[in-house]
Amino acid sequence: MATEAPAPPPGAPEAAVPAGEPRHGLRLLVLWIVVSVIGCLLVYLVWGPHLPPGHMSSSAANQQFDLRVLGTIATPVFLGVVLYMGYALTFWRAKDGDETDGPPIHGNAKIQLTWIAVTTTIVLALAVFGTVELVTVQGAGAGEGPQPIWKPGSSTVLQVQVIGQQWAWTYRYPQFGGFETPQLELPLNEPVQFNVTSLDVIHSFWAYQLGVKADANPGVNNAAYTTPKHAGSFVVRCAELCGLWHGAMFDYGKVVSPAAFQTWAQQTETQLASLTKTLPPYAMTYDPTDIANLGKVLVQLGIGGAGGGYYNPNDPEQP
Ligand SMILES: [Cu+2]
């Protein structure tokens, strides 16, 4: 213990306080509590509502809540480190001409016990918080595999299949005849199930403002849920390096009113009906090498050879 030293060193916070020396530990503690309370309030109430990914959807809002909680817990820790460093630099710096060594320190039971108790409590509390957030709806936007534990309670869930391929996203709407489109439109306040898959390599469907990020693996269906809470556009990116034009693999989706969505979906279903017939039937995964009807389809569209052969751009006989 530092108190066993023959003469308590001035400036050491855990030493017996010599005459004329302020109680540094107490001063630091009071200062730390004051700045921590202010800091926590600022982080949670002022900064919190601006933290990513925003609150455009239920899953985004859940993720923002997690970041607010974690940011608020981290604030006293961060302020404690900075405050101690600033205090030490200001009050415990070596005086001019003082060449002596600092006093040896042999530990401080009170500080050590407090340190172990506080850090253990923080880590265990965060483990409980993180587990609860994972097993409840908070994990919903993260791509939960083909058999997710959590599913939305509502019986009317809009199904949107997300298909990644080098280097574009397309979307199929099985409840509207299974049309496929490069446009992603979603209705406001209605739960959506994304069924994410890929035709070639591994991609990752990242609808940033919706707080949805799900791996797109060939031959696998990966489900993610959200409910859009605000109208507007959001960015869709590929978040998995997938080849030369990975960086260009982005577009914009939009959230519109339920009425506008119904109009758009029904119109698109009608407009694309002749093309939808040529697509493989809607399925949770696709084998891109299995295009059974391609020859027939190309003939129907007037670009195939007379015998139903495949279109060859290098063949001068073909248009
Ligand atoms: Cu990609």
Side-chain angles (χ1 to χ4, degrees):
M1 302 292 291
T3 45
E4 289 161 10
E14 61 271 35
V17 181
E21 189 70 21
R23 299 192 58 184
H24 294 290
L26 187 68
R27 285 211 312 205
L28 265 171
L29 184 69
V30 171
L31 210 57
W32 177 65
I33 289 171
V34 171
V35 294
S36 290
V37 168
I38 297 170
C40 286
L41 288 173
L42 285 176
V43 166
Y44 193 82
L45 298 175
V46 180
W47 192 23
H50 303 284
L51 281 170
H55 39 78
M56 192 175 183
S57 73
S58 55
S59 41
N62 288 334
Q63 290 161 26
Q64 189 187 67
F65 171 74
D66 290 349
L67 285 180
R68 284 171 84 166
V69 170
L70 293 179
T72 305
I73 293 172
T75 301
V77 178
F78 172 76
L79 289 174
V81 171
V82 172
L83 196 67
Y84 188 88
M85 190 175 76
Y87 195 92
L89 284 174
T90 310
F91 294 102
W92 298 326
R93 63 196 313 149
K95 311 258 177 326
D96 273 345
D98 181 2
E99 301 285 316
T100 55
D101 277 343
I105 294 172
H106 302 284
N108 182 312
K110 207 160 74 179
I111 288 178
Q112 285 166 320
L113 273 176
T114 312
W115 185 270
I116 291 167
V118 169
T119 51
T120 305
T121 308
I122 291 176
V123 168
L124 291 182
L126 285 178
V128 172
F129 176 76
T131 308
V132 169
E133 295 291 276
L134 263 184
V135 297
T136 60
V137 297
Q138 321 286 357
E144 307 295 289
Q147 301 291 340
I149 301 169
W150 184 88
K151 286 179 176 155
S154 167
S155 56
T156 53
V157 178
L158 175 70
Q159 302 285 324
V160 179
Q161 184 172 51
V162 180
I163 305 172
Q165 56 191 298
Q166 290 171 319
W167 287 276
W169 297 107
T170 55
Y171 309 93
R172 288 191 81 170
Y173 288 76
Q175 290 145 329
F176 294 87
F179 71 78
E180 182 169 347
T181 166
Q183 274 169 287
L184 177 56
E185 286 210 17
L186 302 171
L188 189 61
N189 288 324
E190 286 180 21
V192 180
Q193 175 174 358
F194 293 108
N195 294 301
V196 184
T197 190
S198 165
L199 289 187
D200 40 44
V201 299
I202 299 172
H203 303 270
S204 175
F205 172 66
W206 186 21
Y208 173 77
Q209 286 87 350
L210 297 186
V212 171
K213 195 181 207 182
D215 283 349
N217 297 320
V220 175
N221 174 47
N222 195 10
Y225 301 94
T226 196
T227 302
K229 292 291 183 190
H230 295 276
S233 68
F234 55 88
V235 182
V236 174
R237 287 192 171 279
C238 180
E240 182 79 48
L241 184 58
C242 60
L244 186 60
W245 297 109
H246 160 73
M249 194 169 162
F250 74 94
D251 53 41
Y252 298 91
K254 53 181 175 177
V255 175
V256 296
S257 72
F261 172 78
Q262 284 297 325
T263 309
W264 170 81
Q266 279 159 12
Q267 274 176 2
T268 311
E269 181 180 355
T270 311
Q271 277 165 10
L272 296 181
S274 61
L275 277 173
T276 305
K277 274 192 302 192
T278 71
L279 293 176
Y282 181 78
M284 299 318 267
T285 61
Y286 298 99
D287 178 357
T289 60
D290 176 23
I291 314 178
N293 292 317
L294 185 61
K296 246 186 291 173
V297 167
L298 293 178
V299 172
Q300 278 172 14
L301 295 174
I303 50 175
Y310 292 86
Y311 175 63
N312 177 1
N314 298 320
D315 183 353
E317 298 289 307
Q318 291 187 3

